Amino acid sequence: MPGLGGRGLWLGLAVAVAAAAAMAVRLMGWWSPRADFRLFIPEELARYRGRPGDPGLYLALLGRVYDVSPGRRHYEPGAHYSGFAGRDASRAFVTGDYSEAGLVDDVSDLSFSEMLTLQNWLSFYEKNYKFIGRVIGRFYGEDGLPTPELAQAEAVMTKGLEADRQELIEKQRFPPCNAEWSFIRGSRFWCSQQSGGVSRDWIGVPRKLFKPGVKPHCVCVRTTGPPSDQSPENPTHRNRGDLDHPNLGEYPGCPPLSITCSVPL
């Protein structure tokens, strides 16, 4: 994989932005009206639990109904995920609470990251199972159109995608250090062209990154070239990379430009 320094860094970030935007477009497409779907009331959907005499084996996620008969061994009565069959148990996909109290469709208090997990499950079902219809209730009205609650869920997912994008940008700019700890020697941090799982054409030096509400952690910081957030309208710079970022701090006793830093006990 080519390094992501200089121009390559911004190319990589542009790709990440495009991927997030494409995902958001696909997400919004799932709510679009389609002519080939049925509307279910919850009592009708409950008949599709794969029991003898049942008309099928369906489950719903955010109000969307899928035929999971091809995965019968996972959802049929007695199987590990049988509680999802015949209902919308969107919340349990994230919480793992398979009790009757947990197998519900209320996702209103889930976090951005939890809603992204739910979005990944939606991707899974869209790819692997046939879409059948929609459940009238929390997420779709009697006309089959999205409710405000579904719009809110979509908004939280979109914000989660943006948060992920920002996290990726920060990780590309400040990759985590390699780290080890010894009871005798204390902590050691060091940087490489692969540290933090970020391939790049620079190594960097260890620094503490401070963020509100988060414990400081070690990141690798580029030491040459312009800062990552430099405006194109202001091409002059001090050739110090991101060393002057205000949220960074040096480790006491470590040489400022050493790629390795030891912090004794």
Side-chain angles (χ1 to χ4, degrees):
M1 180 183 294
L4 291 179
R7 183 170 178 270
L9 170 63
W10 295 111
L11 177 60
L13 296 181
V15 171
V17 171
M23 189 178 299
V25 169
R26 290 198 300 272
L27 177 63
M28 293 177 66
W30 288 333
W31 315 146
S32 300
R34 287 168 53 169
D36 57 340
F37 68 83
R38 292 173 53 189
L39 288 176
F40 295 82
I41 60 173
E43 293 78 9
E44 181 185 8
L45 183 60
R47 297 175 52 227
Y48 289 79
R49 291 183 172 169
R51 299 164 298 195
D54 281 0
L57 181 55
Y58 296 171
L59 64 72
L61 184 58
L62 289 183
R64 295 178 61 82
V65 180
Y66 299 93
D67 182 352
V68 293
S69 300
R72 172 173 295 276
R73 64 190 180 92
H74 301 295
Y75 304 103
E76 64 185 355
H80 185 65
Y81 298 114
S82 61
F84 289 98
R87 70 174 95 195
D88 187 331
S90 296
R91 186 179 187 86
F93 279 92
V94 176
T95 65
D97 181 357
Y98 300 157
S99 68
E100 284 299 309
L103 290 164
V104 295
D105 60 358
D106 183 6
V107 298
S108 59
D109 62 343
L110 296 184
S111 67
F112 293 157
S113 61
E114 289 172 326
M115 289 301 292
L116 281 184
T117 298
L118 204 57
Q119 187 268 335
N120 288 335
W121 278 110
L122 273 172
S123 296
F124 170 79
Y125 284 102
E126 286 285 317
K127 179 180 179 181
N128 292 283
Y129 294 103
K130 182 181 179 181
F131 168 74
I132 299 297
R134 298 170 177 174
V135 184
I136 297 172
R138 185 181 297 274
F139 300 113
Y140 290 99
E142 294 183 357
D143 53 5
L145 296 178
T147 65
E149 282 212 44
L150 183 56
Q152 175 63 25
E154 178 186 308
V156 175
M157 288 182 181
T158 301
K159 289 180 180 178
L161 289 170
E162 174 62 19
D164 265 12
R165 185 183 71 86
Q166 292 297 332
E167 185 177 341
L168 175 61
I169 291 174
E170 180 173 290
K171 187 175 181 181
Q172 295 285 352
R173 182 178 185 181
F174 297 128
C177 303
N178 297 310
E180 65 179 8
W181 183 85
S182 166
F183 184 77
I184 298 175
R185 293 185 296 272
S187 298
R188 183 171 79 93
F189 305 108
W190 72 100
C191 296
S192 68
Q193 287 183 309
Q194 298 287 334
S195 58
V198 178
S199 297
R200 54 194 187 275
D201 57 11
W202 51 273
I203 295 176
V205 297
R207 290 290 189 272
K208 287 185 286 188
L209 177 64
F210 296 89
K211 296 174 64 178
V214 179
K215 184 178 179 181
H217 63 282
C218 184
V219 296
C220 295
V221 181
R222 188 165 50 85
T223 61
T224 60
S228 298
D229 57 359
Q230 177 175 295
S231 170
E233 289 77 27
N234 182 24
T236 61
H237 59 85
R238 300 172 59 194
N239 196 35
R240 285 173 50 83
D242 291 311
L243 286 174
D244 297 320
H245 192 281
N247 290 0
L248 297 173
E250 296 183 10
Y251 284 95
C254 295
L257 295 180
S258 174
I259 64 173
T260 301
C261 180
S262 295
V263 183
L265 293 171

